Amino acid sequence: MTDALLPAVPQPLEKEGHCYFRKGCNPLAQTGRSKLQNQRAALNQKILKAMRMRTGAENLLKAATNQKVREQVRLELSFLNSDLQMLKEELEGLNISVGVYQNTEEAFTIPLIPLGLKETKDVDFSVALKDFILEHYSEDSYLYENEIADLMDLRQACRTPSRNEAGVELLMSYFMQLGFVESRFFPPTRQMGILFTWYDSLTGVPVSQQNLLLEKASILFNIGALYTQIGTRCNRQTEAGLESTVDAFQRAAGVLNYLKETFTHTPSYDMSPAMLSVLVKMMLAQAQESTFEKVCLPGLQNEFFLLVKVAQEAAKVGEVYRQLHTAMNQEPVKENIPYSWASLACVKAHHYEALAHYFTATLLVDHQLKPGEDEDHQEKCLSQLYSHMPEGLTPLATLKNVHQRQLLGKSHLCRAVTHHEESMREASLCKKLRNIEVLQEVLSAARQRSQLKYSQLREDDDLLNLTDAPDIVSKTEREVEIILPQFSKVTVTDFFQKLGPLSVFSANKRWTAPRSIHFTAEEGDLGFTLRGNSPVQVHFLDPYCSAAEAGTKEGDYIVSIQDVDCKWLTLSEVMKMLKSFGQNDIEMKVVSLLDATSSMHSKCATYSVGMQKTYSMICLGIDADDKTDKTKKVSKKLSFLSWGTNKNRQKSASTLCLPSVGVAMPPVKKKLSSPFSLLNTDSSLY
C-alpha cells in the first residue's frame, strides 16, 4: 500500500499487528470464512486448468485422423470430464458450507444460504492509465503515480472485505470510484488494454473482458453476496438480530435486482438475468423465513387468534419456498444452480407447510367455543384460514361441534406428518444436506411433535372418517420487499480530480495540448472577458489585443496562470489573479476543445472458458452536419470587468488521436451534456 493517501479521500486505516489495512478489509484474518474463500480461489484455478486441458483434447480429437490416437484422446476426455464433475461437486460443497457463515451462538434453527464472493485476478492499471494521461490529458504521468497506486490498493482491499457494514462501504466506495475512472480513462471508441478476469461463484468458470462494466457488475455481485453473509451471521435468537437478518437479505435482494436491471448482457452464469432472478427470490424467501421466526421468537401461547396468525405466516414461508424451488428447476438455471440449494428449498417448503397444518390442527383440537366468546371474530378468522371449507362444513358449525373440530384437526395433523416425512426424505437424498446436523435435528423434532399430537387423538376408524384437509391460505403482516442500494450514503472523492472538472476533462472529449500565451493588460484592459466556472473560458475576444495576437481564441479554457493550476478556480478567483499582475507580463496556458471527426467503431470481445465468444458493436453517434463559421464584428475593445453571462459551452467530442498544438476547429455553440453520472446504465456495452 502506498505511504500517502490523498487528503481529499479520507481512508480510515485499521492497525493489525505491524500492518495497516483499509477500513473494511483485513486480508490476514484467518477466519473460517476466509479459509473457505481461499479454498474457492484454489478450486477456481483447478477448474480453469482442467477446462484448458479438455479444450486442448477436444481440438486434438477434431484434428487427429489416426484411429488409435482418437481412441486415446477419447479416453483422456472421459477422465477430464470426470475430474471436472468432481471439481464441480467440490465447489458445490463450498457453496452449501452454511455452517461457516452462521452465527457462533448455538441455535436450534434451520441454516440460511449465503453467497460466496466472486474471485478475481490482479489488475495493473499503472501502464495503461499513465499512457492515457500523457496522451489524452497532455500531463506528466509521474505526477499521478500515488493516485494510481491508491486505486490499485483499493481494488486489492476489495478482494478481502470484512463481513460487516465497513466491508460493504469499502465495496461501494470502489464501485463509485470506478464510475470516475470510467469517465476519466475509458472512452467509448477504444479499448484500454486492461484485462479484467472474474470467476463464476457457482461454476468456477473464469470470464475475461477488457470492459470496465465486467468489473462494476462483479463488485455489485460481491456487495449482494456480502449482505447475505452479514444476514447469516446475525444472532437469530434475539429480536434485533432477526431484524438485522431481514434487513440484510432485503438489501442483498435489492443489489442483485439492481445488477439484473442495469447490466443485462453479463457473460457470467452467476450474473445472467435468469440466475439473478432466482437469487433475488432466494434472498426474499430467507427474509420471509426470518420474519416468521421473529413472530415465533417470544414463544407461542396456545391462543386461538395467535395460532391462526402463525399458521398463515408459516404457510406464507412455505409458499415462497415452493415458488423458489420451481424457479430453480427451470432452464437454463437448473444446470448451474447447486443441487443442494434446490433440495434445501424443497425441504423448507415441505417443512413450513407442515408447520402451517400443525398450528391449524392445534387451534381446532385444543380450543372450544365457549359461551360469551366472540363467535363472529372466531368464525371470520376460521373462514379466512381456508380458501374454501371442506364439503359439508361451515365455519360457525365447525367451531360449535367438537366432533367436527376433532376430525378436521386430525386431518391437518395427517397432512403435517406427510409434509414432515417428505421434507426428511428430500434432505436424505442430498449428501450435502445429510451432513448438516442442525437441519436433521430440526426436521426430526418437528415430525416427532406432530406424530405425538396425532397419536394422542388417533382412533381406529380414522382411515374411514378423515377427509383431506384443505390448504392454508398464506398471509403475512409484513411482506418483505427489495431495498435498493443506497450509494448516496457513501462519500467518495475522485482520485484523479487534479485532472480537472469531470464535466470538461473526461475521456469523451479531446482538445489541443496546452498552449503558452504571453500577453500584457493594456491600460488595465485584458482585451477579453471570461465566462463559466471551473474551468473558466475566454469569451468576447478582441482580435487586436495582446492575448489574441499571442494565440488566444474565443472558447479557450484557462488551465494555468504563471504555473498556478486554474482548472478548479472560479471565475472571480481567475479574474482576481489576472488583475493582480497589472501592467506586467502574464503567462497563461489554455486548451481548445476540438470537434469530433468521424464516427468510429470499436469491437469489444468477451472470452469465457466454456462459453461462446460474444461481440458487441459500440457505435458512437456524432452529428455529421457541416458547420460554418459566423463572422464576428468587433466594434470596440471591451472592458475588463464587463464579462458576458452567456451559459453556452462548446460541444464535447472523442478521438483516438493525440491532439496537435496549433490546430483549432471552429467552435460549435451547443449546451454541454450532463456532468458525470455515477451509475452508467448503458448496458449495450456489456
Side-chain angles (χ1 to χ4, degrees):
M1 182 172 290
T2 54
D3 296 329
L5 296 174
L6 278 179
V9 191
Q11 293 289 344
L13 301 176
E14 293 181 345
K15 189 172 181 180
E16 187 72 24
H18 297 289
C19 301
Y20 290 86
F21 309 110
R22 288 181 184 270
K23 184 178 180 181
C25 163
N26 189 354
L28 299 184
Q30 293 299 314
T31 62
R33 183 181 69 105
S34 63
K35 293 177 181 178
L36 196 67
Q37 200 66 31
N38 291 335
Q39 293 177 25
R40 182 188 297 275
L43 196 58
N44 287 336
Q45 295 298 323
K46 292 180 181 179
I47 292 175
L48 175 60
K49 181 180 178 181
M51 296 195 74
R52 285 175 174 173
M53 292 178 65
R54 188 178 70 172
T55 302
E58 289 174 346
N59 293 335
L60 180 59
L61 183 63
K62 294 177 182 178
T65 56
N66 187 286
Q67 190 62 28
K68 289 185 178 181
V69 174
R70 292 177 63 86
E71 289 296 332
Q72 187 174 357
V73 173
R74 288 193 183 97
L75 181 62
E76 185 66 26
L77 271 175
S78 66
F79 282 117
L80 289 172
N81 287 328
S82 298
D83 289 343
L84 277 172
Q85 184 62 31
M86 293 176 63
L87 291 172
K88 182 179 179 181
E89 292 176 359
E90 190 175 347
L91 181 61
E92 180 183 341
L94 296 182
N95 287 326
I96 199 60
S97 298
V98 293
V100 175
Y101 297 94
Q102 308 303 311
N103 185 267
T104 54
E105 300 290 336
E106 292 187 5
F108 196 67
T109 54
I110 299 180
L112 301 174
I113 301 176
L115 296 178
L117 299 179
K118 292 173 69 71
E119 289 290 334
T120 182
K121 290 184 177 181
D122 291 334
V123 173
D124 186 2
F125 288 100
S126 58
V127 176
L129 296 194
K130 285 181 179 179
D131 289 346
F132 194 82
I133 290 173
L134 180 61
E135 170 193 339
H136 190 77
Y137 293 99
S138 300
E139 294 199 27
D140 293 328
S141 57
Y142 73 88
L143 297 175
Y144 294 87
E145 288 181 350
N146 287 340
E147 286 79 0
I148 296 173
D150 288 339
L151 176 64
M152 295 174 63
D153 287 342
L154 180 58
R155 185 184 191 273
Q156 186 67 22
C158 288
R159 300 179 66 176
T160 54
S162 56
R163 190 167 46 156
N164 49 35
E165 287 297 329
V168 173
E169 185 175 345
L170 175 71
L171 292 176
M172 283 190 173
S173 64
Y174 179 59
F175 175 77
M176 297 172 68
Q177 195 66 236
L178 288 176
F180 291 115
V181 172
E182 183 178 21
S183 298
R184 293 282 191 192
F185 302 107
F186 285 80
T189 55
R190 71 185 241 191
Q191 297 297 326
M192 287 294 294
I194 302 176
L195 188 66
F196 301 98
T197 300
W198 287 85
Y199 292 90
D200 193 298
S201 66
L202 302 180
T203 65
V205 176
V207 174
S208 298
Q209 195 178 53
Q210 293 189 31
N211 199 322
L212 192 66
L213 294 183
L214 173 62
E215 182 89 347
K216 296 173 70 176
S218 299
I219 291 296
L220 275 179
F221 184 92
N222 278 358
I223 293 174
L226 194 58
Y227 270 127
T228 67
Q229 295 180 14
I230 293 173
T232 56
R233 188 187 189 185
C234 296
N235 185 1
R236 291 157 63 193
Q237 300 302 304
T238 65
E239 184 174 351
L242 283 171
E243 187 64 35
S244 299
T245 301
V246 174
D247 180 74
F249 280 109
Q250 289 183 125
R251 292 185 184 279
V255 173
L256 295 175
N257 188 69
Y258 176 82
L259 172 59
K260 182 189 69 172
E261 294 180 350
T262 307
F263 304 92
T264 56
H265 297 89
T266 51
S268 181
Y269 288 123
D270 56 354
M271 296 191 295
S272 63
M275 181 63 74
L276 289 174
S277 297
V278 171
L279 294 180
V280 169
K281 289 180 182 293
M282 186 170 74
M283 299 307 121
L284 293 178
Q286 296 187 127
Q288 194 69 57
E289 180 181 4
S290 301
T291 300
F292 171 77
E293 291 178 354
K294 186 178 178 182
V295 173
C296 301
L297 184 63
L300 297 180
Q301 298 179 357
N302 202 345
E303 194 269 327
F304 184 88
F305 299 110
L306 177 60
L307 290 174
V308 170
K309 173 185 175 181
V310 173
Q312 291 189 308
E313 290 279 358
K316 178 65 176 180
V317 179
E319 180 184 60
V320 294
Y321 271 113
R322 180 69 61 190
Q323 295 171 353
L324 174 62
H325 181 254
T326 302
M328 285 180 169
N329 283 279
Q330 300 295 322
E331 297 291 346
V333 175
K334 183 179 179 181
E335 298 298 325
N336 298 309
I337 202 79
Y339 172 70
S340 52
W341 289 8
S343 297
L344 186 57
C346 184
V347 167
K348 289 188 176 184
H350 284 295
H351 175 70
Y352 285 104
E353 287 172 2
L355 292 183
H357 286 286
Y358 172 79
F359 291 125
T360 303
T362 302
L363 70 89
L364 289 171
V365 172
D366 293 352
H367 294 275
Q368 297 181 8
L369 188 61
K370 298 177 182 179
E373 291 186 340
D374 191 348
E375 295 183 4
D376 293 339
H377 193 189
Q378 289 196 17
E379 179 187 9
K380 181 179 179 181
C381 286
L382 187 61
S383 62
Q384 292 178 349
L385 191 60
Y386 304 117
S387 58
H388 64 278
M389 289 292 293
E391 186 177 355
L393 299 180
T394 60
L396 185 58
T398 302
L399 289 172
K400 292 182 176 181
N401 191 316
V402 177
H403 182 64
Q404 286 186 2
R405 291 170 65 117
Q406 291 277 345
L407 289 179
L408 185 55
K410 286 191 288 186
S411 298
H412 281 291
L413 284 174
C414 287
R415 287 200 63 179
V417 172
T418 302
H419 279 297
H420 281 310
E421 291 177 346
E422 187 64 23
S423 67
M424 296 192 68
R425 187 187 71 84
E426 286 287 342
S428 65
L429 293 177
C430 179
K431 179 182 177 181
K432 306 299 180 183
L433 298 185
R434 287 200 302 267
N435 297 330
I436 303 178
E437 294 182 2
V438 66
L439 174 63
Q440 300 295 332
E441 293 173 359
V442 171
L443 298 180
S444 178
R447 184 187 65 173
Q448 291 177 8
R449 182 178 59 178
S450 296
Q451 287 178 334
L452 178 61
K453 189 79 172 177
Y454 179 70
S455 64
Q456 295 172 351
L457 304 171
R458 184 174 183 178
E459 297 178 356
D460 295 337
D461 58 348
D462 281 350
L463 293 176
L464 299 176
N465 296 330
L466 294 182
T467 59
D468 291 335
D471 293 331
I472 310 300
V473 174
S474 63
K475 183 180 178 181
T476 180
E477 292 186 352
R478 179 180 178 181
E479 192 81 34
V480 296
E481 56 187 11
I482 289 172
I483 299 180
L484 295 176
Q486 298 175 333
F487 297 104
S488 59
K489 290 188 175 181
V490 180
T491 303
V492 176
T493 305
D494 182 9
F495 279 149
F496 300 92
Q497 61 178 349
K498 290 194 302 184
L499 291 172
L502 194 55
S503 59
V504 176
F505 299 97
S506 66
N508 293 331
K509 300 176 182 179
R510 68 186 186 99
W511 47 86
T512 63
R515 308 191 309 275
S516 294
I517 306 296
H518 294 269
F519 69 100
T520 57
E522 301 173 4
E523 299 179 357
D525 191 351
L526 295 173
F528 58 86
T529 59
L530 304 177
R531 70 171 181 179
N533 204 26
S534 300
V536 174
Q537 280 184 286
V538 175
H539 191 48
F540 292 138
L541 176 68
D542 183 350
Y544 302 106
C545 70
S546 173
E549 293 175 352
T552 306
K553 300 178 178 60
E554 282 193 13
D556 282 351
Y557 287 93
I558 301 176
V559 295
S560 70
I561 299 174
Q562 300 293 106
D563 294 328
V564 176
D565 192 291
C566 298
K567 291 196 265 319
W568 285 99
L569 296 184
T570 62
L571 186 144
S572 58
E573 291 172 336
V574 173
M575 286 180 56
K576 183 178 180 181
M577 184 180 296
L578 290 172
K579 192 174 181 180
S580 65
F581 293 104
Q583 301 292 331
N584 297 329
D585 182 68
I586 303 174
E587 180 184 1
M588 179 175 68
K589 289 186 178 181
V590 297
V591 295
S592 302
L593 277 175
L594 301 178
D595 286 335
T597 52
S598 59
S599 62
M600 306 187 68
H601 303 274
S602 176
K603 185 163 64 175
C604 171
T606 302
Y607 175 65
S608 171
V609 177
M611 300 176 64
Q612 294 182 349
K613 293 183 179 179
T614 59
Y615 297 90
S616 59
M617 297 301 297
I618 307 168
C619 299
L620 180 67
I622 300 176
D623 185 7
D625 294 337
D626 294 334
K627 306 292 182 180
T628 57
D629 290 333
K630 293 184 178 180
T631 57
K632 301 179 181 62
K633 185 175 181 181
V634 181
S635 57
K636 62 178 182 178
K637 282 190 177 182
L638 299 174
S639 170
F640 173 72
L641 297 177
S642 61
W643 65 89
T645 59
N646 193 338
K647 301 298 181 182
N648 292 337
R649 297 173 183 254
Q650 289 182 329
K651 183 179 179 182
S652 62
S654 301
T655 184
L656 292 176
C657 304
L658 180 66
S660 56
V661 179
V663 179
M665 303 297 290
V668 180
K669 305 284 182 165
K670 196 169 183 179
K671 194 173 182 179
L672 267 178
S673 58
S674 61
F676 162 67
S677 175
L678 171 63
L679 304 177
N680 185 359
T681 57
D682 185 6
S683 58
S684 64
L685 303 182
Y686 203 65

